[in-house]
Amino acid sequence: MCAVRDETTLFHREGFHRDEELFLPTEAAGNPWGELTGGGPIAGLVARAAELSLDEPDLFVARLTVDLHRPVPRRPLAVATRTARAGKRLRIVEITLTQEGTEVTRATAHVLRRGEADGEPGTGGVPFPGPRDLPEGSLLPAELGLRWGVHDVVRVRWVRDQLCTEDTTQAWMRMPLELLPDERTSALSRTAILVDCINAGSPAGTLFGPFINSDLTLYLHRAPAGEWLGLEMARDVESSGLGVARARLFDELGPVGTAQEAVLVHRLG
């Protein structure tokens, strides 16, 4: 794996380039396994499409499920949305990504309408130190020799890394690139990109994969504030090669939601 590139170089790059109505993944959106697009940038593009479908400020994407059911080559992508249900308090938005007519990703957003609740809000804090004084790290060890991509772009500051003997790892992550040129990436899209890292960021454990995730599901009760997302990550796997990765999500103010992924052993070739 190449060394992490200087951030001043990264900032003039994006996850995707626009070609009229199509989206072309860049090298910075790549995954470690070949000329393919990483699940995180795909999820970020899906999240953007879900938000663009909303026409009222009180609507909030509370759940986003992204099914990564095909490898996505770094070729132009078409994005389509459909409102499957438009209720007063619940809206269901379906998003599909296709390449040359073949569906490569399908996603569903559960959109809820914000309201006022009685009583005092929860005041849970963050159960680990904040990102300010932690050293810079990397998501995956350089000695693995993997292809450069989005996993190298993500900035990581570990509290407990994958080699810890605890049940969970803890880290702060941020994405220094915008998803698209000349467009500010939303909090939802940034979070969707980073949530794809929970499988790679979970404790190494005693069963070696490597493991990949076939989906991701993100639950939020409020939009994360600031550029850093805190993740407390874990992965449960069986000798069958199947498992679940999960994370509690935080900003520097406190909890913002949770995420889960289905994982399976990945064999090259």
Side-chain angles (χ1 to χ4, degrees), residues 29-164:
N31 81 6
W33 311 114
E35 289 294 327
L36 301 171
T37 312
I42 291 295
L45 194 62
V46 163
R48 174 183 180 273
E51 288 187 305
L52 285 176
S53 74
L54 306 183
D55 52 5
E56 299 179 56
D58 287 340
L59 296 176
F60 179 76
V61 178
R63 194 201 83 181
L64 181 68
T65 295
V66 184
D67 293 321
L68 304 166
H69 56 246
R70 285 180 182 269
V72 181
R74 282 179 41 219
R75 297 200 299 268
L77 285 155
V79 181
T81 61
R82 182 180 80 90
T83 300
R85 183 183 190 277
K88 182 177 180 181
R89 296 190 297 173
L90 168 65
R91 185 177 297 189
I92 306 296
V93 180
E94 296 176 345
I95 307 100
T96 55
L97 272 58
T98 57
Q99 287 183 318
E100 300 175 347
T102 298
E103 183 179 291
V104 294
T105 300
R106 178 177 289 271
T108 304
H110 278 222
V111 181
L112 304 182
R113 185 177 298 278
R114 297 181 181 94
E116 295 295 331
D118 293 333
E120 296 295 326
T123 56
V126 183
F128 47 88
R132 301 305 170 189
D133 297 322
L134 297 173
E136 292 284 345
S138 60
L139 180 62
L140 295 172
E143 55 266 24
L144 293 178
L146 300 175
R147 181 186 294 267
W148 190 87
V150 65
H151 47 287
D152 296 295
V153 176
V154 171
R155 295 300 192 246
V156 182
R157 294 183 180 181
W158 290 102
V159 181
R160 291 199 303 249
D161 67 16
Q162 299 101 320
L163 299 181
C164 74

Side-chain angles (χ1 to χ4, degrees), residues 130-256:
R132 301 305 170 189
D133 297 322
L134 297 173
E136 292 284 345
S138 60
L139 180 62
L140 295 172
E143 55 266 24
L144 293 178
L146 300 175
R147 181 186 294 267
W148 190 87
V150 65
H151 47 287
D152 296 295
V153 176
V154 171
R155 295 300 192 246
V156 182
R157 294 183 180 181
W158 290 102
V159 181
R160 291 199 303 249
D161 67 16
Q162 299 101 320
L163 299 181
C164 74
T165 58
E166 304 291 333
D167 293 334
T168 62
T169 55
Q170 298 170 338
W172 293 91
M173 300 185 191
R174 70 178 181 92
M175 171 52 67
L177 298 184
E178 303 295 354
L179 194 65
L180 291 166
D182 303 319
E183 181 177 310
R184 183 70 174 169
T185 304
S186 72
L188 177 64
S189 285
R190 290 198 311 272
T191 303
I193 294 168
L194 295 173
V195 158
D196 188 61
C197 299
I198 67 177
N199 173 46
S202 294
T206 58
L207 293 174
F208 179 72
F211 294 96
I212 63 170
N213 56 295
S214 62
D215 79 330
L216 65 85
T217 295
L218 166 65
Y219 294 90
L220 291 175
H221 55 264
R222 65 175 175 86
E227 60 181 349
W228 289 100
L229 182 71
L231 302 96
E232 186 171 61
M233 299 165 280
R235 183 177 56 224
D236 299 316
V237 294
E238 298 292 332
S239 56
S240 63
L242 303 180
V244 175
R246 61 190 188 280
R248 299 168 64 199
L249 308 177
F250 305 86
D251 61 14
E252 294 184 70
L253 302 175
V256 296

